[in-house]
């Protein structure tokens, strides 16, 4: 039989069986018990040509309407962003795309150097001493950071702000049952961490305080104060930071973070219905041997040249087995490559502009929305490029009507925060043109006028 | 070698430009707390687009890849990555979908996830599948958390997980991360799980046995039905490490063998690119009794609509934000519908054929610790060559000079000087013959020109790497 990607002819198969010294393929499967061989793969269709497959997939994709077909104001941990053409061009290079994990440094210097540059730039952005070769995503980096804090402090409780992405907190809770980590939520006041109640929670049993800056709501907390509260309790201060804001926002390392984690998807990776994304993790030098995942180091070869290699591998599962710092085996190397190309193309100036354009436009839109009768910002205090809008119309109805006008207006919060059931989260960045902002506001005005809703 | 991008940076050089905000800009000091405005710009490079393109193109040339070379890597299944998979994943209707878009606008994506689940359940003989885990080891963790939830729902506090001594390192690491004590089970002289040793370790404190079949020696565990019965009799569950699934598609199903939960490595079996270390995707398939514990959300279909269901009161919860590595799932789906049921079956048969062919052509020169037919991979020992002065690592490095990626070496741990070879089904007989010739030439060099082997590689862009200095004085970041 002939199938795509299977090179053998029947004659070659026969020749190989003969070389092996068996009569048929069944002889090679002789260990499989007879009674296990009877089943059918009826749910899997029969083979198709590439032309048929292309049509099938194009049709399936066509049953979706991508965010690019709307003026999209959706964010919340998945960001549609501009990606310079160079990024996808490089990703297509087969030598990166189809390479294996760089366990053999002699044939993997390309991947290794890319990761070293990724580590360097993540460390620079976050103001930390070092970073690893990437995590699955921001959400899974969260429990890994908590476990790191547990190992370092030998305590088994973490306090996590309720303004951390709800799905990240769910992942943290799922993971926590393994090593018996106790997770305590720090309550909010007006969307920001309630300092007094936080201080009360920060006992000498707490391994780490986890906060997100900007928060899930886009709010920018005073980080130095939070760091002091964590450190006063002898806990590590763990910051989840959106790297697209770090050209403008102070580096978490500068205000006292011990571990910085986050999601770098927005650096050159498409939203892609939630994945693959690329988490990052950076920390202080003294924590380097507690860092999970892969790390690349610079060294020299026998010819005296600088070269790169995976290092500190004695922390890892393939050597330490049940004593490893984590079970992570894959990283997100290709997505980290996209982020690396992105950061190098954007450069020092570009990373500032990225944050600045986003924050300026977000504040302009927020101000304009507040001028529409009945709309207001739900949470007081400084925000970056995401903010919470309180709507005079029921949120599902409002978002549905905006969608009919070609606008993905935001994300309802009722599922995660029942107290914000009349609110939704709006995200603004360099893809939302001034004309889009005007259209958003004009549409809100038209909708509320037709609903005859007044200011309240 | 290629300079670091930071060494090419010139103050003032610029590539990407963003449009101006186009709105009335405010000073940052009006928008942010004073202490939260960045004082020192991050030291990202300042280079031109041409600098960047040359940099990465040169770096790419320092890598091996499937599209340029053969990877006979045991347990890693480095098969060809079809290009139509890439095209499919990049369609705007997939790559441009935001995970929080309303379901009305994502019906095609949800259908793909739903159908992929059905296909994987059928292929593995399992009841349902979660597509959420981002990698194989992440899938293992998800599976073990479900096992824990299952026992806890029965009011049982089981504390141990059994793992064969030949197991992948992720198995014990995962079990430990999930809070279990790890107990190693011996292999017998045929390279299979020693059933007597297993029996001796089973008891009411055991939560699960984690194994793979075929095992990491490339051998089919012929006693699997007896093993499954023994494990289940004590109330423990059986976990299947799907790393070796490429050997058995269409031949036998883990569900039928008695496994309760398994992960799949889609980046291996379903031909999605490794990307230099990821992204992967590690869906987890479960038997009926573990369905209640699947992570949220699941993809369901009712009244003509696909939707995400969060109605799983006994769920272990989320293991990842959103729905998993969707782009990888699109590639795997594309591969499965291209190959079809018969193509997947034939792929496994050819993978097994190729491994046995290479083994037959090398067994006169290298030690073969187990003589039954192998599945899609097999293990050689370099003991004979080591006695003459060239260990397995030296021979692996010498293969680079012949244009091949080294096999997996020094794993599994239970074979001295092990070399684990997995050709996969996508390599032609001509390539296999070249590889066999290279291995034979190296065995000959060990006899006649030992230094050529022990000094290898000679043709790679870098020489022997000083790993010790790298670990003792870590340099993990440029001028940090």
């Amino acid at each position: 039989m002939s199938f795509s990607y299977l090179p053998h002819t029947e004659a070659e198969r026969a020749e190989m069986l003969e070389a092996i010294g068996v009569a048929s393929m069944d002889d090679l499967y002789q260990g499989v018990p007879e009674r296990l061989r009877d089943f059918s793969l009826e749910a899997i269709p029969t083979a198709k040509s590439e032309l048929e497959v292309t049509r099938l997939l194009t049709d399936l994709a066509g049953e979706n309407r991508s965010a690019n077909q709307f003026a999209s104001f959706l964010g919340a941990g998945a960001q549609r962003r501009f990606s310079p053409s160079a990024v996808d061009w490089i990703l297509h290079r087969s030598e990166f795309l189809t390479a294996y994990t760089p366990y053999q440094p002699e044939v993997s210097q390309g991947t290794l150097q890319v990761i070293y540059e990724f580590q360097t730039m993540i460390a620079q952005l976050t103001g930390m001493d070092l970073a690893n070769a990437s995590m699955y995503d921001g959400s899974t980096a969260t429990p890994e950071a908590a476990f790191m804090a547990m190992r370092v402090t030998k305590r088994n409780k973490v306090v996590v702000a309720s303004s951390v992405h709800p799905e990240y907190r769910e992942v943290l809770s799922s993971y926590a049952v393994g090593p018996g980590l106790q997770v305590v939520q720090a309550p909010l006041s007006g969307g920001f961490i309630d300092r007094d109640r936080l201080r009360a929670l920060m006992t000498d049993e707490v391994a780490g305080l986890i906060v997100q800056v900007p928060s899930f709501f886009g709010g920018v907390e005073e980080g130095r104060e939070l760091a002091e509260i964590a450190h006063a309790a002898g806990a590590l201060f763990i910051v989840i930071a959106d790297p697209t804001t770090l050209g403008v926002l102070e580096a978490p390392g500068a205000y006292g973070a011990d571990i910085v984690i986050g999601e770098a998807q927005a650096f050159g990776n498409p939203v892609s219905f939630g994945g693959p994304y690329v988490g990052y993790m950076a920390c202080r030098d003294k924590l380097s041997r507690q860092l999970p995942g892969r790390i690349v180091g610079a060294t020299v070869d026998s010819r005296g040249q600088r070269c790169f290699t995976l290092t500190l591998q004695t922390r890892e599962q393939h050597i330490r087995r049940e004593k490893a710092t984590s079970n992570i085996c894959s990283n997100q190397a290709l997505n980290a490559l996209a982020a690396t190309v992105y950061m190098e193309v954007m450069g020092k100036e570009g990373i500032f502009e990225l944050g600045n354009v986003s924050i300026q436009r977000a504040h302009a839109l927020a101000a304009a929305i507040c001028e529409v009768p009945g709309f207001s910002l739900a949470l007081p205090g400084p925000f970056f490029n995401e903010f919470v809008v309180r709507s005079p119309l029921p949120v599902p109805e409002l978002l549905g009507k905006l969608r009919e006008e070609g606008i993905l207006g935001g994300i309802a919060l009722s599922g995660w925060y029942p107290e914000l059931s009349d609110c939704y989260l709006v995200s603004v960045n360099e893809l939302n043109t001034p004309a889009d902002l005007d259209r958003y506001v004009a549409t809100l005005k038209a909708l509320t006028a037709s609903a005859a809703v007044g200011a309240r | 070698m290629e300079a670091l991008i930071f060494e090419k940076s010139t103050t003032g050089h610029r590539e990407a430009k963003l449009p101006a905000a186009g709105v009335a800009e405010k000073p940052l000091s009006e928008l942010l707390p004073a202490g939260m405005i960045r004082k020192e710009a991050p030291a990202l490079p300042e280079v031109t687009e041409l600098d960047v393109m040359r940099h990465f193109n040169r770096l790419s040339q320092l890598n091996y890849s499937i599209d340029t070379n053969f990877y006979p890597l045991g347990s890693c299944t480095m098969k060809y990555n079809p290009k139509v998979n890439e095209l499919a994943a990049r369609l705007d209707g997939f790559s441009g979908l935001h995970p929080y878009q309303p379901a009305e606008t994502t019906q095609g994506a949800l259908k793909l996830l739903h159908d992929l689940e059905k296909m994987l359940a059928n292929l593995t003989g399992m009841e349902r599948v979660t597509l959420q885990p981002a990698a194989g080891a992440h899938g293992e963790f998800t599976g073990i958390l479900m096992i824990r939830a299952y026992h806890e729902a029965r009011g049982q506090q089981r504390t141990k997980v059994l793992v064969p001594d030949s197991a992948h390192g992720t198995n014990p690491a995962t079990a430990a991360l999930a809070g279990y004590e790890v107990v190693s089970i011996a292999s017998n002289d045929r390279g299979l799980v020693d059933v007597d040793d297993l029996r001796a370790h089973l008891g009411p404190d055991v939560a699960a046995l984690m194994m793979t079949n075929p095992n990491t020696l490339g051998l089919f565990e012929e006693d699997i039905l007896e093993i499954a019965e023994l494990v289940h009799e004590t109330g423990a569950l059986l976990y299947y490490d799907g790393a070796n699934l490429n050997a058995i598609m269409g031949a036998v199903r883990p569900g039928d063998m008695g496994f309760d939960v398994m992960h799949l490595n889609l980046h291996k079996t379903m031909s999605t690119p490794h990307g230099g270390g990821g992204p992967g995707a590690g869906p987890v398939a479960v038997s009926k009794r573990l369905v209640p514990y699947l992570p949220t959300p699941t993809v369901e279909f009712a009244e003509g609509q696909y939707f995400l269901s969060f109605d799983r009161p006994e769920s272990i919860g989320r293991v990842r934000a959103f729905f998993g590595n969707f782009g990888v799932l699109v590639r795997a789906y594309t591969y499965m519908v291209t190959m079809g049921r018969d193509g997947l079956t034939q792929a496994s048969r050819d993978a097994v054929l190729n491994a046995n062919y290479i083994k037959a052509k090398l067994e006169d020169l290298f030690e073969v610790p187990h003589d039954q037919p192998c599945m899609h991979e097999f293990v050689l020992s370099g003991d004979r060559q080591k006695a003459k002065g060239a260990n397995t690592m030296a021979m692996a490095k010498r293969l680079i000079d012949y244009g091949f990626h080294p096999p997996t070496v020094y794993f599994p741990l239970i074979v001295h000087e092990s070399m684990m070879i997995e050709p996969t089904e996508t390599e032609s007989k001509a390539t296999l013959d070249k590889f066999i010739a290279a291995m034979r030439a190296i065995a000959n060099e060990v006899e006649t020109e030992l230094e050529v082997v022990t000094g290898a590689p000679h043709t790679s862009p870098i020489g022997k790497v000083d790993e010790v200095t790298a670990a003792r004085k870590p340099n993990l970041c440029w001028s940090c």
Side-chain angles (χ1 to χ4, degrees), chain B residues 24-45:
Chain B
E25 292 200 34
K26 290 184 172 168
L28 289 171
S29 56
E30 281 181 30
L31 304 179
L32 294 169
M36 294 301 284
I37 299 169
R38 188 149 194 147
K39 285 178 274 301
E40 199 178 332
L44 297 191

Side-chain angles (χ1 to χ4, degrees), chain A residues 317-383:
Chain A
Q317 39 74 29
H318 59 272
I319 294 179
R320 293 268 285 172
R321 295 174 80 84
E322 70 268 22
K323 294 190 178 66
T325 52
S326 83
N327 73 334
I328 293 174
C329 185
S330 290
N331 65 333
Q332 300 286 114
L334 193 70
N335 306 89
L337 169 67
T340 306
V341 180
Y342 179 93
M343 288 187 276
E344 294 181 7
V345 167
M346 294 298 281
K348 199 178 203 167
E349 285 293 314
I351 200 74
F352 172 79
E353 285 176 14
L354 184 75
N356 189 53
V357 168
S358 304
I359 192 172
Q360 296 293 348
R361 286 186 182 170
H363 281 257
L365 179 63
I369 287 175
C370 288
E371 284 173 18
V372 181
F375 285 87
S376 60
L377 292 191
L379 305 170
F383 62 94

Side-chain angles (χ1 to χ4, degrees), chain A residues 224-253:
Chain A
R224 217 162 262 103
E225 189 186 357
L226 295 170
E228 281 162 13
I229 294 172
H231 291 152
L236 298 191
F237 183 45
I238 301 166
V239 176
I240 305 172
D242 172 357
T244 66
T245 66
L246 291 177
V248 169
L249 271 188
E250 184 58 288

Side-chain angles (χ1 to χ4, degrees), chain B residues 16 203 225 462:
Chain B
L225 294 175
I462 58 165

Side-chain angles (χ1 to χ4, degrees), chain B residues 126-432:
Chain B
M126 294 287 194
E127 186 71 17
R128 286 211 66 169
V129 182
T130 173
L131 302 171
Q132 203 175 103
H138 195 207
E140 286 178 28
F141 184 59
T142 305
I144 294 292
L145 286 183
M146 282 191 261
I147 288 174
R148 175 184 266 281
Y150 169 87
H151 290 307
E152 281 177 1
R154 273 149 199 76
Q156 295 180 359
Q157 296 298 326
R158 292 172 177 253
T159 56
K160 291 179 183 165
V161 167
L162 310 184
V163 180
D165 56 8
S166 63
H168 297 118
T170 49
N171 293 177
T174 296
L177 182 66
Y180 286 105
E181 181 191 337
V182 178
V183 180
S184 187
I185 301 297
S187 302
N188 63 24
D189 55 5
R190 298 190 64 225
L192 306 178
V193 167
D194 186 323
V195 177
D196 291 330
D197 195 49
L198 172 64
R199 199 179 277 116
H201 284 93
L202 279 169
D205 55 348
V206 173
L209 168 67
M210 294 180 88
M211 59 187 288
T212 182
N213 192 17
N215 66 23
T216 55
L217 294 163
L219 305 173
F220 194 84
E221 296 277 0
E222 296 165 10
D223 303 320
I224 186 60
L225 294 175
E226 188 189 348
I227 291 172
E229 205 177 310
L230 281 173
V231 168
H232 287 148
E233 267 173 11
T234 64
L237 299 183
L238 199 53
Y239 184 95
Y240 185 90
D241 180 330
N244 294 340
L245 189 68
N246 203 50
I248 60 163
M249 290 187 291
V252 60
R253 305 189 300 177
D256 299 339
M257 288 189 252
F259 287 93
D260 298 287
V261 52
M262 69 174 288
H263 75 266
L264 294 97
N265 302 81
L266 294 187
H267 49 290
K268 298 180 182 181
T269 319
M270 300 309 166
S271 80
T272 76
H274 272 54
V284 176
V286 294
S287 62
K288 213 169 235 162
R289 56 177 142 189
L290 287 173
V291 169
Y293 311 105
L294 284 170
T296 52
T298 52
V299 182
E300 310 289 346
F301 180 74
E303 294 168 10
Q305 291 287 309
Y306 295 92
F307 63 99
L308 294 168
S309 169
F310 293 86
D311 183 19
R312 308 197 75 75
E314 295 181 84
S315 167
I316 58 165
R318 263 184 190 284
V319 294
R320 188 193 179 283
F322 315 122
F323 324 121
N325 282 350
F326 177 74
V328 180
L329 302 174
V330 173
R331 289 170 174 89
Y333 175 91
T334 306
Y335 176 74
M336 290 187 80
V337 297
T338 302
M339 296 297 281
R341 58 178 85 117
D342 295 336
L344 294 174
T345 304
Q346 187 63 46
S348 284
R349 291 167 76 88
D350 282 353
V352 171
L353 178 69
N354 286 358
N356 279 283
Y357 179 69
I358 297 178
K359 178 165 139 283
K361 295 279 193 179
L362 294 179
E363 61 195 357
D364 59 328
L365 294 180
F366 297 89
E367 292 291 331
V368 179
H370 306 99
D371 64 355
Q372 63 265 51
C374 66
M375 299 302 281
H376 66 314
E377 64 190 1
F378 63 99
V379 177
L380 294 178
S381 166
D383 267 352
R384 209 183 291 177
Q385 286 74 24
K386 190 185 183 189
K388 301 206 164 111
N391 65 12
T392 283
M393 186 58 85
M395 290 190 284
K397 299 294 186 194
R398 181 61 178 149
L399 264 175
I400 293 171
D401 293 334
Y402 283 90
F404 297 103
H405 192 280
T408 297
V409 293
Y410 300 104
F411 181 83
L413 309 175
I414 56 173
V415 173
H416 292 163
E417 295 295 315
S418 55
M419 266 180 280
M420 193 177 181
I421 295 172
E422 177 182 358
T424 82
E425 71 280 5
T426 58
E427 297 300 332
S428 68
K429 181 169 175 297
T431 301
L432 303 183

